Amino acid sequence: MPIVVDIDVMMARRKMSVGELAERVGITPANLAVLKNGRAKAVRFSTLAALCEVLDCQPGDLLRWEADDPAESEAAAVLP
């Protein structure tokens, strides 16, 4: 999948456990694990906003796009 989730990176920087982050965000540890491991098909903006607030970061710190193959990234670089 071309969207990479870096929640674990921000959790490590903030020295926060899955349980603590889940509690502070208001979601279950199981649902946080689904997000963290990149298995989620979607994320609510309210959840993303809560993650950013608790982790003191921007959405781009948690999510990034990565091409599946080199042709995709070359095509994206050509577009204005």
Side-chain angles (χ1 to χ4, degrees), residues 4-24:
V4 178
V5 181
D6 289 327
I7 292 174
D8 54 345
V9 172
M10 291 306 297
M11 287 173 52
R13 288 182 182 166
R14 305 296 187 251
K15 296 177 175 45
M16 195 174 294
S17 69
V18 171
E20 180 184 356
L21 180 59
E23 182 179 325
R24 291 179 61 185

Side-chain angles (χ1 to χ4, degrees), residues 3 6-7 9 21 29 31 34 36 53-54 56 59 67 69 72:
I3 300 298
D6 289 327
I7 292 174
V9 172
L21 180 59
N31 283 339
V34 168
K36 186 173 82 67
E53 183 177 351
V54 171
D56 189 29
D69 61 55
E72 279 186 52

